[in-house]
Amino acid sequence: MPDHSDFDCCRTKTINCAQYSSGFSIPRTPCREERSAPQPTPQPCPGTWPCMPQQFCYPIPCCPSLIAGPTGPAGPTGATGPMGSIGPMGSVGATGAVGATGATGATGAAGATGATGATGATGAAGATGAAGATGATGAAGAAGATGATGVTGATGATGATGPAGTVQALATYNTTEQTPESGAALLFSEGSLVSGSALSHTEGTATITAEESGFYQVLFNSQVTPVTTDPNQTVTVQLAVDGTLIPGALAQATFDTAGIATIVLNAPLSISTVPADITVVTTPGGFTFSDSYITVMKLG
């Protein structure tokens, strides 16, 4: 760096064109060099100062020290000086831009469990979830009390008439006289009339066979004449199934004198075991039966 300490040694220093034209100058002061050695001849500064029109510009005399010579080689670095005192703290600078996010650090060890916080307010009800699978059927509960009888509904329309059923019946008779012993069965030997397959009879025998279980109705009537003329004679006819007399299935006729009486028997039978033999048994002996008729019908 040039030494400008002898700046004031310049004989004349023009500050600018205006000052130059007005004759402004700095008085010459002896230079340091003049005190010890002859003053070297001043050299003009490079170039000329531009002036406004109608002004005169001349080369500016310069001190030798103002003329920069070529740069010399760099000197050795001096020793580091002592550290100066700490200056006052400067004002806080503006906040810098946010830096890029750093890489995520390793997960730290789990901290101790904190105290349970207070229960939060109940949240709004969520949407209804999809229906779950049907659970297993639970045990049957106890039967509830019987409810009150409901109002009788309107009568439904009459259904179509079903096909006509087959009548299950058998009729047979015997017009000849027969005088059976006590406990014997009357014979039926003529005109068997059969409908359906529930009943059967062989002519000349006492048995009418029920082929199907169910309820039957038996109608019997006959003319009866006592053999003797003894007063107060009573004859009884009674139904038997497989040889067993049926209680209540009987009819009686009483004679005060000799004569003819009509005895009538009308009784139901229940048949559970088939085939079953139905007969008409008379007691006591000593009575003549003629024009005997019997009809058996299956009721259901």
Side-chain angles (χ1 to χ4, degrees):
M1 187 96 182
D3 183 4
H4 298 291
S5 61
D6 59 351
F7 182 84
D8 59 351
C9 296
C10 296
R11 292 184 179 87
T12 303
K13 179 178 180 169
T14 300
I15 301 306
N16 52 41
C17 290
Q19 291 174 338
Y20 183 86
S21 62
S22 64
F24 178 84
S25 64
I26 299 175
R28 180 180 184 283
T29 304
C31 297
R32 288 191 302 270
E33 291 81 355
E34 291 181 348
R35 296 189 187 103
S36 58
Q39 174 67 29
T41 302
Q43 296 181 8
C45 294
T48 61
W49 286 70
C51 297
M52 295 296 292
Q54 299 178 359
Q55 290 184 355
F56 297 95
C57 295
Y58 299 93
I60 300 172
C62 294
C63 295
S65 60
L66 295 178
I67 304 303
T71 302
T77 301
T80 301
M83 180 181 293
S85 60
I86 298 174
M89 180 180 294
S91 59
V92 178
T95 302
V98 177
T101 302
T104 302
T107 302
T113 302
T116 302
T119 302
T122 302
T128 302
T134 303
T137 302
T146 303
T149 302
V151 178
T152 302
T155 302
T158 302
T161 302
T166 301
V167 176
Q168 303 288 339
L170 183 147
T172 185
Y173 61 95
N174 190 349
T175 58
T176 61
E177 294 182 352
Q178 50 184 321
T179 307
E181 296 180 355
S182 179
L186 294 173
L187 302 177
F188 300 96
S189 58
E190 302 173 44
S192 294
L193 175 64
V194 180
S195 176
S197 59
L199 296 160
S200 63
H201 173 254
T202 300
E203 292 184 359
T205 65
T207 301
I208 297 174
T209 303
E211 306 289 352
E212 298 176 5
S213 60
F215 291 96
Y216 291 82
Q217 188 73 29
V218 179
L219 302 175
F220 169 80
N221 67 85
S222 180
Q223 299 293 317
V224 183
T225 301
V227 175
T228 66
T229 59
D230 296 336
N232 300 321
Q233 296 183 74
T234 300
V235 63
T236 301
V237 293
Q238 188 170 5
L239 297 179
V241 176
D242 291 334
T244 300
L245 296 174
I246 305 301
L250 55 82
Q252 292 180 327
T254 300
F255 298 89
D256 293 331
T257 59
I260 298 176
T262 300
I263 189 168
V264 178
L265 171 62
N266 186 355
L269 291 177
S270 176
I271 304 296
S272 58
T273 302
V274 292
D277 292 334
I278 303 170
T279 56
V280 180
V281 177
T282 66
T283 56
F287 291 87
T288 300
F289 291 81
S290 61
D291 297 326
S292 301
Y293 296 86
I294 185 171
T295 300
V296 182
M297 295 180 294
K298 186 173 186 282
L299 303 179

